Amino acid sequence: MRSSIRNLLLLVLLLGSSAALAEPASEASVRRLLEVTQARALLQQVQQQAQGMMQGLAQQSLRGKSPTPAQEAAITRMTARMVALIQEQLSWERQEPMYMRLYTQTFTEDEVAGMLAFYETPAGRATIEKMPLVLRQISQESQRSMAEMGAQLKAIQRDFVAEMQAASGKP
């Protein structure tokens, strides 16, 4: 019995130490992975979407009214400032060090090699090309679902308020 416990402990130690000894991903392999997965282009798409959202919010704030020339100028300045901030904060030069740090801390060299092997196949390239579209569609569908859910949540809240008022005996 003691020898089986000792053997089990040795096995656990060996397995644990092999995982601990796994070589962290190198900067070169992570850089290659980021190139293959087109991380820079994806970040640029995120920039463009954020810019579009900012411009849409500016127009939405008008609530269908035509702005005066002074208001139009203010909107243009605000939008330009927001776009500049988005471009600065989401620039590849600013984001790349974070990507490098997180990838090298998170993945082992073997894991990055496996990802590279997949992403360099036709199926992997299709995943890279089509995933932004899938994510955009998921976002759009989710927004619609959230809008529907929001209306339902408001109805539940109204019912609750009415129920609480009835329970307190106050109209």
Side-chain angles (χ1 to χ4, degrees):
M1 183 70 168
R2 279 189 160 172
S3 65
S4 61
I5 292 173
R6 184 178 48 218
N7 290 341
L8 180 62
L9 286 173
L10 285 173
L11 179 63
V12 168
L13 287 173
L14 285 174
L15 291 175
S17 65
S18 67
L21 294 176
E23 184 181 347
S26 69
E27 284 195 22
S29 64
V30 168
R31 202 169 300 286
R32 175 75 181 129
L33 180 62
L34 293 174
E35 288 171 16
V36 168
T37 58
Q38 301 173 7
R40 182 182 216 146
L42 187 59
L43 188 60
Q44 288 171 341
Q45 288 177 356
V46 169
Q47 273 184 353
Q48 291 168 349
Q49 289 173 349
Q51 290 170 15
M53 285 176 46
M54 291 301 114
Q55 291 167 341
L57 287 173
Q59 290 301 315
Q60 196 176 34
S61 70
L62 295 172
R63 296 183 183 100
K65 297 176 185 171
S66 296
T68 66
Q71 290 172 326
E72 187 67 43
I75 290 168
T76 300
R77 283 190 302 276
M78 180 209 49
T79 303
R81 289 177 62 200
M82 288 179 155
V83 166
L85 179 63
I86 289 167
Q87 287 175 339
E88 176 194 333
Q89 293 296 315
L90 296 180
S91 71
W92 183 247
E93 293 72 26
R94 187 173 183 109
Q95 295 294 311
E96 184 185 27
M98 179 211 39
Y99 276 73
M100 294 298 296
R101 178 177 44 82
L102 294 175
Y103 275 66
T104 56
Q105 287 175 354
T106 304
F107 297 109
T108 66
E109 188 67 25
D110 287 342
E111 292 166 339
V112 171
M115 286 186 272
L116 280 167
F118 169 70
Y119 285 128
E120 290 175 335
T121 67
R125 285 190 297 279
T127 300
I128 292 166
E129 292 170 13
K130 295 177 181 180
M131 193 55 68
L133 175 62
V134 169
L135 293 174
R136 192 173 318 116
Q137 291 171 334
I138 287 171
S139 176
Q140 291 168 351
E141 297 274 336
S142 295
Q143 286 176 0
R144 281 193 287 276
S145 293
M146 294 301 286
E148 291 171 13
M149 186 174 67
Q152 293 171 348
L153 288 170
K154 284 181 183 178
I156 291 170
Q157 184 181 18
R158 280 192 305 271
D159 292 347
F160 171 73
V161 168
E163 190 175 341
M164 291 299 287
Q165 286 175 344
S168 69
K170 297 179 182 175

